[in-house]
Amino acid sequence: AMKQIKAFIHHIRSAAVVEALRDAGVTNITLLDVKGTLKPLSEFEQAYSVEVGVAIISEVRVSLVCDDAEVPRITDIIRRAGRIGEGISGWVYVSPVEQALPIGGPA
C-alpha cells in the first residue's frame, strides 16, 4: 500500500527539506508555494490578508507518495530538516493513496 505525505513548512526551510529528502534517495517531490497561518518567524515574514482577515505567511507544501514502510523515515527527515527553533515549525500529514497510475509509458 502507498501513502501521500504532505508537509507545510516555512519557506526558508524548503531547500533544506528537499536536499535532505534527495540525499535519502526520495524522488518525485512536489513543491507548491502556499499562504498559511504558521507562526511568523519575524514581522518581515508576515503579511496581512484582507480577504482572510488574519496575518498570513508564505509557506511551502511539500508533497510526495511513498510505500507504507517508508513513512516513518521520510516524515522524520521532513520534521528534522524543516524545524526552526523550539516551537512548532509546521505540520506533516499522511494519507492513504487509493491508486497511483502513470501518465504515458508502457500500457
Side-chain angles (χ1 to χ4, degrees):
M2 302 187 83
K3 294 285 194 277
Q4 181 182 40
I5 297 175
K6 285 190 283 193
F8 293 83
I9 61 174
H10 283 275
H11 199 272
I12 64 169
R13 298 305 302 159
S14 60
V17 168
V18 170
E19 185 177 354
L21 288 169
R22 290 180 66 185
D23 286 350
V26 179
T27 58
N28 295 331
I29 303 163
T30 302
L31 301 179
L32 181 66
D33 289 329
V34 295
K35 299 291 184 192
T37 56
L38 287 177
K39 184 178 179 190
L41 299 176
S42 70
E43 60 188 71
F44 298 111
E45 192 182 42
Q46 183 173 315
Y48 189 80
S49 171
V50 176
E51 302 86 45
V52 183
V54 295
I56 59 169
I57 67 162
S58 290
E59 298 176 23
V60 173
R61 186 180 83 189
V62 180
S63 302
L64 59 97
V65 174
C66 65
D67 290 324
D68 282 3
E70 289 288 284
V71 169
R73 182 175 78 96
I74 292 173
T75 54
D76 182 61
I77 290 167
I78 294 169
R79 293 178 70 212
R80 279 189 285 109
R83 183 173 185 163
I84 302 168
E86 294 301 311
I88 293 173
S89 303
W91 292 92
V92 179
Y93 300 99
V94 180
S95 308
V97 173
E98 303 248 340
Q99 283 187 304
L101 305 170
I103 299 172

